[in-house]
Amino acid sequence: MGTKTVDEAVDANGTEAKSDEETVNATKTDEAPDAEVEETGKAEAEDAEDQDDLDAEALEGEDTPEAEKGTPGVGQGAAAVVSAGLGVVSLTGSWVATVAAARETLVGQLGTSSTASVAKQVKEVYGDAWATTALVGGLFALAALIVGVVVLVRPAFGAPGKPQAAWIKSVAWAGVSLGVIGLVLAVAKYSDIILGLPSTS
């Protein structure tokens, strides 16, 4: 009763072997999806890192041209402000004009004798000093005019497709306008068209 036949033993061993194989196959089948999920996650992570790198490079590429564009604008803006400042100085006067006029007055006093006519004394002491002031003012006005015009025509000689900022044009035009006004007034005063010497007769 306790003895098994050969066929029964073979069947038992075969069944157990099949069961073991099924268990191994089932284990492999369960492990395969997990491995695929891990590989897919790694691939997605690598793609995300690559995309971040590309985005960073794109942002750096966009920042560089903006910095390069800003450099010429700074120079033009500074020149426009200088033009406007020179125009204001040409109208209001400067210490250079003051010193030059005082020097001309001293020269006139030293070079004019006390016996000279009143007209000559007025011209040498006051007229020449006023003309010197007008001359210095005219030089400042001419400088303002030249700098302003250079700023306005600068985009024509620069890189195409880079428009000049509106505020730079406005300030440059202000400098040109002040320069023209100052130059006209300086010429008019120097030639005694306006504010001429008083009559001594």
Side-chain angles (χ1 to χ4, degrees):
M1 292 179 63
T3 303
K4 292 183 179 179
T5 63
V6 177
D7 296 335
E8 291 175 354
V10 171
D11 293 339
N13 291 332
T15 303
E16 291 177 358
K18 289 180 180 179
S19 299
D20 294 338
E21 290 177 358
E22 291 176 356
T23 303
V24 171
N25 292 333
T27 303
K28 290 181 179 180
T29 304
D30 294 338
E31 291 177 353
D34 295 338
E36 291 178 358
V37 170
E38 291 178 359
E39 291 178 357
T40 304
K42 290 180 180 179
E44 291 178 354
E46 292 176 356
D47 292 340
E49 291 177 358
D50 294 339
Q51 186 63 34
D52 292 339
D53 293 338
L54 292 175
D55 293 341
E57 292 177 357
L59 290 176
E60 291 177 358
E62 291 177 357
D63 292 342
T64 302
E66 290 179 359
E68 293 177 355
K69 290 179 181 178
T71 303
V74 171
Q76 294 177 22
V81 173
V82 169
S83 175
L86 290 172
V88 172
V89 171
S90 69
L91 294 176
T92 59
S94 65
W95 66 269
V96 178
T98 301
V99 172
R103 182 181 182 281
E104 193 64 30
T105 299
L106 180 59
V107 170
Q109 291 175 348
L110 294 175
T112 304
S113 64
S114 58
T115 58
S117 64
V118 176
K120 182 175 177 59
Q121 290 182 7
V122 170
K123 180 181 181 303
E124 293 294 333
V125 176
Y126 297 102
D128 291 346
W130 295 344
T132 302
T133 302
L135 178 62
V136 174
L139 293 177
F140 275 99
L142 182 61
L145 180 61
I146 293 174
V147 174
V149 170
V150 169
V151 173
L152 291 175
V153 301
R154 176 63 180 83
F157 300 96
K162 292 183 179 180
Q164 193 175 56
W167 71 270
I168 295 178
K169 290 182 179 180
S170 299
V171 177
W173 275 115
V176 170
S177 301
L178 292 173
V180 170
I181 295 172
L183 191 60
V184 170
L185 292 177
V187 171
K189 175 64 192 83
Y190 191 84
S191 58
D192 288 338
I193 296 177
I194 60 173
L195 301 175
L197 291 174
S199 177
T200 56
S201 58

